[in-house]
Amino acid sequence: MFDFLFVPLYNIDMITQEKLTILTESAKYDVSCSSSGSARKNAGGVGNGYIAGCCHSFTPDGRCVSLLKILLSNDCVYDCKYCPNRVSADVPRATATPDEICELTMDFYKRNYIEGLFLSSAVTKNPDFTMEQLLLVVKKLRTEYGFHGYIHLKGIPKADPALNRSAALYADRMSYNVELPTEKSLKLLAPQKSKESLLLPMKTLTRERAQFVEEKRKKQVSGHFLPAGQTTQMIVGATPEADGQILRLTQALYRKMQLKRVYYSSYVPVVQDSLLPDKCTGQLREHRLYQADWLLRFYGFSVEEIVTEGENLALEYDPKCAWALKNMHLFPVEINRASLEELLRVPGIGGRSAQKIIQARAYTTLTFESLVKMRVALKRAKHFITCNGKFFGAKNETAVRGLLISAENGENAVQENLFSLLPDTGAVSEKKILFSDRQNALSALTGEL
Amino acid sequence: MFYLFDGSENGFLTAFLLAFQDKNARISSKSAQLLLGQEPVFVRTDDDRAQRAKARLLSFDNGCHKDLNALLRCGREDNEQVAFEYLRFLAQKKRPVRGMLAEPAVYRAVEYIKKVGLEIHHFHGFIRFIECESGALYAPFEPDNDICDLLVPHFRARLPAFPFVLHDVKRKKAAVYDGANAFLAPLEKAEIMISADESAWQGLWKKYYSAVNIPSRERLKQMRGYMPARYWKYMPERS
């Protein structure tokens, strides 16, 4: 008669450590981890959005853990040349049940380990089937489990648009990976994917989102439709496209598709294939692309100002320095008079410093000393500004160039990367790679799996 | 002169009034700050005078109470001195001074206020709850600043059905949410019964943490920069 009081001691849907490991290992190279952009409210149940995003931990590789980044399955039917989970690869396979993923998300979230779920999957059986499975998980999580935290869902190319639309009603953000910057490269390395199959769902979702926002404004619909928008990711260096070309695509994605972010992952050679280069793409190149990406999004630059189409970004210094060196006639600017736009174009001065300067100079004339006290970084900036008429930088352009390069060398994170400039570390010889690294490098080829 | 007060806000404001004209005033609630042989002024908290001082300060800058609150919570040795100099500067200028970032009294205060705000944001992420047998969540932690009650609204909004305890182990106090109301309580040591599944979930979390790392791209310095080692003690993945 007390049957109804029975509570199972063990959670029946608890995922095993082995499965969790396989599905995480296969998902971890997806670069995106952001949990920002959604202000979803708690409506009973568990969780809410955190508009600024929130990092819950940091791994020894210096990356943040914000979302539970996991694949529903790594059992792929595709055979993309660069992918560790391609059907012809000999790797352990696993598939989780929707309840396993839901339980895991709920229990991690409750303990404040994570800000939400980043769910992706290999293409199992066919795109529609895979998308249905993903949809099943997010729907279950939202409706049965009452989860209102962040969900980032990876879209499956070539899946039925109706499935994507349904998923968008539950997810905070969706992403399709562009993978490679041109159609030609895609044909070569990922023959089952085409530019159209990757861009079309993005376009459709962008249009549907705009429509939803409009209808919501008129109070014809309620709920959410991808409140945190869409992102994408591409591999850099597997194919010969120049930075200029990559950044032009990036700019188009921001302007035409209203993407929130474009992520880059530098290519590491592991699969022996005559179609793939045998050289590592330095992480420094990836770093420079991100810096240029920031200039596009937050500093009012257009790609045409930064780099020509066939050109790569300079590796010796950041793209803003490179731009400033080409435009020395615009400098130095007077810190007490320059507009916000002008300040933002000074190398070394970021959004926060620019704001501080504008705020503080309303009360007093700023000197070099006051900038130091206000903790405005001046290592680069001093060559491009005057403080109350006084100039503290180097006398000529050659000296400025040299000092900017040494400023880069002084910064640890980048210094490490500068080794990738050395010619002999570029090519990775088979023998040098330890097994674990090789495994890693295999998976590192792409975030999309 | 050295002005020693009881650590309360009214105590601080009383000391503020006493020390206002004193160019060499040192204000603190920590007697450890005293130099050997120094004779302090023991400030007796006067609630009425304190409230009048507060009203006057608010008339210059409505937001200064928030600043004072953050500064008194700041865990730095000289936080009260910084608060004193900031508010004295405000009283002299008789208008908001927050934007005068080139002034020492202002940029020091702004720096400390930011530290407190940043740590609150950090602990929105770094808090680790342990599930108790009753279903309640318990999180011990040791923040630099006195912020445990300031974390409550965040967790209450996202976990409304779960009673939880945020235990500042260093300051021996806890912010408690009982499922309906939140309050502060002194708490030296908590004895909890963990739930049957707790260690299994912790095990999965540790497994996840090590699986999601990319060993060939080790950057420990960066990790420590983002997540200082002093916070690791109560995080299962790092302890």
Side-chain angles (χ1 to χ4, degrees):
Chain A
M1 72 183 274
F2 291 110
D3 270 358
F4 65 95
L5 282 178
F6 174 77
V7 179
L9 265 183
Y10 301 101
N11 213 315
I12 36 171
D13 288 312
M14 196 186 276
I15 197 169
T16 64
Q17 295 209 354
E18 292 67 34
K19 209 189 250 190
L20 176 67
T21 307
I22 294 171
L23 294 173
T24 304
E25 292 272 0
S26 317
K28 68 178 170 188
Y29 291 98
D30 221 302
V31 186
S32 165
C33 98
S34 150
S35 56
S36 58
S38 171
R40 191 181 291 270
K41 294 247 176 353
N42 180 288
V46 166
N48 59 7
Y50 193 139
I51 195 84
C54 184
C55 296
H56 285 253
S57 194
F58 288 86
T59 39
D61 55 14
R63 300 192 306 165
C64 99
V65 180
S66 182
L67 303 174
L68 167 64
K69 210 181 280 183
I70 196 167
L71 294 194
L72 186 57
S73 171
N74 72 340
D75 205 352
C76 199
V77 294
Y78 281 6
D79 205 22
C80 301
K81 290 270 186 290
Y82 49 77
C83 182
N85 282 346
R86 66 195 188 285
V87 62
S88 56
D90 179 23
V91 292
R93 307 283 175 177
T95 300
T97 68
D99 279 310
E100 281 174 339
I101 299 287
C102 292
E103 290 280 353
L104 187 62
T105 308
M106 294 300 283
D107 272 90
F108 274 14
Y109 191 90
K110 193 165 85 181
R111 289 169 176 78
N112 206 40
Y113 298 163
I114 53 166
E115 195 58 27
L117 173 67
F118 182 136
L119 188 64
S120 178
S121 182
V123 179
T124 54
K125 290 188 191 167
N126 58 58
D128 278 350
F129 176 81
T130 313
M131 198 62 210
E132 273 164 27
Q133 294 298 305
L134 291 174
L135 175 59
L136 191 69
V137 178
V138 290
K139 193 173 173 182
K140 210 174 178 113
L141 198 49
R142 288 277 192 237
T143 54
E144 282 177 40
Y145 286 81
F147 181 70
H148 304 287
Y150 196 91
I151 299 180
H152 181 152
L153 189 65
K154 191 112 262 181
I156 305 295
K158 292 185 184 166
D160 183 351
L163 290 170
N164 301 343
R165 190 166 48 240
S166 306
L169 295 170
Y170 298 106
D172 292 287
R173 171 171 281 177
M174 277 177 76
S175 57
Y176 291 85
N177 285 352
V178 172
E179 308 284 28
L180 298 162
T182 58
E183 176 86 58
K184 201 174 129 202
S185 300
L186 265 179
K187 270 216 179 83
L188 200 66
L189 299 179
Q192 279 112 329
K193 293 172 181 162
S194 66
K195 198 175 164 193
E196 205 45 35
S197 75
L198 298 167
L199 291 183
L200 191 67
M202 276 196 237
K203 265 186 220 159
T204 313
L205 284 174
T206 303
R207 200 184 54 235
E208 286 171 349
R209 182 170 184 256
Q211 200 182 332
F212 183 91
V213 169
E214 183 58 26
E215 284 169 13
K216 195 169 177 180
R217 201 178 57 78
K218 293 183 192 156
K219 301 206 184 334
Q220 292 164 344
V221 291
S222 61
H224 302 275
F225 193 100
L226 300 183
Q230 298 184 74
T231 61
T232 192
Q233 175 175 331
M234 59 184 119
I235 308 163
V236 174
T239 45
E241 289 87 1
D243 293 348
Q245 210 170 350
I246 292 169
L247 287 167
R248 272 166 181 74
L249 174 61
T250 302
Q251 181 170 282
L253 288 168
Y254 286 137
R255 289 187 180 170
K256 291 184 188 145
M257 304 264 207
Q258 282 112 50
L259 291 200
K260 299 284 180 197
R261 278 293 294 274
V262 173
Y263 293 94
Y264 311 99
S265 74
S266 47
Y267 166 79
V268 183
V270 270
V271 181
Q272 298 292 315
D273 195 303
S274 59
L275 294 175
L276 291 170
D278 59 353
K279 275 191 172 179
C280 245
T281 308
Q283 284 203 38
L284 186 57
R285 183 174 174 201
E286 184 187 297
H287 183 60
R288 294 286 180 247
L289 280 168
Y290 277 120
Q291 288 178 317
D293 180 276
W294 248 253
L295 294 184
L296 296 180
R297 290 191 296 142
F298 302 120
Y299 291 83
F301 280 83
S302 73
V303 69
E304 290 75 20
E305 294 176 277
I306 301 170
V307 64
T308 61
E309 183 152 14
E311 200 184 16
N312 280 324
L313 294 168
L315 291 176
E316 311 91 278
Y317 27 72
D318 65 79
K320 206 207 267 183
C321 282
W323 173 83
L325 285 168
K326 274 188 244 161
N327 293 281
M328 286 306 267
H329 59 282
L330 299 174
F331 296 104
V333 295
E334 169 54 44
I335 215 83
N336 287 292
R337 281 192 304 275
S339 66
L340 177 63
E341 291 72 22
E342 285 168 333
L343 286 174
L344 284 173
R345 285 182 175 239
V346 174
I349 292 188
R352 252 180 228 176
S353 292
Q355 287 294 353
K356 272 199 242 177
I357 290 168
I358 292 209
Q359 228 182 355
R361 75 185 185 189
Y363 300 97
T364 178
T365 304
L366 297 179
T367 62
F368 192 77
E369 275 297 291
S370 33
L371 291 184
V372 172
K373 280 188 205 154
M374 287 159 60
R375 306 205 176 182
V376 172
L378 292 162
K379 198 156 57 173
R380 293 178 183 80
K382 66 180 176 198
H383 307 297
F384 302 93
I385 55 170
T386 54
C387 305
N388 199 17
K390 286 192 191 126
F391 181 68
F392 294 86
K395 297 229 159 38
N396 61 62
E397 211 183 302
T398 324
V400 171
R401 224 170 262 272
L403 287 166
L404 288 177
I405 293 173
S406 71
E408 284 286 299
N409 283 324
E411 277 161 27
N412 286 319
V414 179
Q415 190 174 34
E416 199 181 324
N417 289 333
L418 280 172
F419 287 116
S420 60
L421 287 175
L422 302 172
D424 57 340
T425 48
V428 179
S429 88
E430 188 84 25
K431 283 177 201 157
K432 277 186 203 158
I433 306 172
L434 296 171
F435 179 71
S436 71
D437 280 347
R438 192 179 159 78
Q439 280 288 71
N440 276 313
L442 256 169
S443 325
L445 283 172
T446 171
E448 222 266 358
L449 295 157
Chain B
M1 268 307 219
F2 191 99
Y3 300 83
L4 192 64
F5 72 102
D6 59 7
S8 68
E9 189 185 286
N10 279 349
F12 172 84
L13 288 164
T14 314
F16 173 78
L17 288 174
L18 284 176
F20 191 77
Q21 301 291 353
D22 181 352
K23 276 203 181 96
N24 302 313
R26 303 286 310 162
I27 283 195
S28 183
S29 64
K30 301 148 195 144
S31 50
Q33 288 260 297
L34 266 174
L35 296 172
L36 198 69
Q38 198 173 23
E39 205 40 58
V41 176
F42 291 96
V43 177
R44 198 192 306 137
T45 303
D46 181 335
D47 291 343
D48 286 343
R49 290 193 68 197
Q51 285 311 308
R52 281 203 297 277
K54 190 165 133 185
R56 188 105 172 95
L57 287 168
L58 284 173
S59 74
F60 302 139
D61 177 0
N62 210 9
C64 75
H65 186 233
K66 227 176 141 189
D67 294 341
L68 174 60
N69 188 286
L71 286 167
L72 291 181
R73 286 168 179 276
C74 177
R76 289 302 181 95
E77 280 292 297
D78 60 345
N79 64 319
E80 289 138 345
Q81 181 67 19
V82 168
F84 170 68
E85 280 164 23
Y86 174 65
L87 291 181
R88 181 160 67 177
F89 187 62
L90 170 68
Q92 284 161 355
K93 291 284 168 190
K94 297 190 180 3
R95 60 172 176 151
V97 295
R98 207 169 293 107
M100 301 176 153
L101 291 168
E103 290 292 335
V106 178
Y107 65 70
R108 282 194 200 115
V110 168
E111 187 194 332
Y112 280 12
I113 293 166
K114 269 195 187 147
K115 271 187 205 302
V116 176
L118 190 65
E119 197 181 39
I120 292 172
H121 177 69
H122 276 155
F123 274 109
H124 285 164
F126 297 157
I127 282 285
R128 291 290 175 267
F129 283 117
I130 300 165
E131 190 187 47
C132 305
E133 214 173 27
S134 65
L137 301 169
Y138 168 74
F141 70 129
E142 290 177 21
D144 300 338
N145 310 301
D146 187 3
I147 54 169
C148 68
D149 51 323
L150 299 182
L151 294 172
V152 172
H154 172 81
F155 289 106
R156 187 181 175 161
R158 59 172 52 190
L159 301 167
F162 294 87
F164 60 77
V165 177
L166 298 163
H167 185 187
D168 184 339
V169 179
K170 205 166 65 185
R171 292 180 182 78
K172 299 187 172 72
K173 63 200 271 191
V176 181
Y177 170 66
D178 62 9
N181 300 298
F183 51 90
L184 257 176
L187 181 63
E188 185 122 359
K189 216 179 152 204
E191 283 188 16
I192 56 158
M193 296 281 286
I194 66 163
S195 72
D197 287 344
E198 179 58 26
S199 52
W201 286 115
Q202 280 194 19
L204 279 171
W205 169 238
K206 287 186 208 169
K207 202 82 196 169
Y208 175 76
Y209 179 81
S210 64
V212 84
N213 179 45
I214 302 176
S216 57
R217 293 190 192 164
E218 186 172 276
R219 284 187 183 176
L220 290 171
K221 204 175 155 190
Q222 207 172 346
M223 174 183 73
R224 284 166 188 275
Y226 290 130
M227 186 171 74
R230 63 181 182 280
Y231 295 155
W232 294 359
K233 194 168 158 192
Y234 301 101
M235 304 172 89
E237 71 271 29
R238 291 301 322 172
S239 58

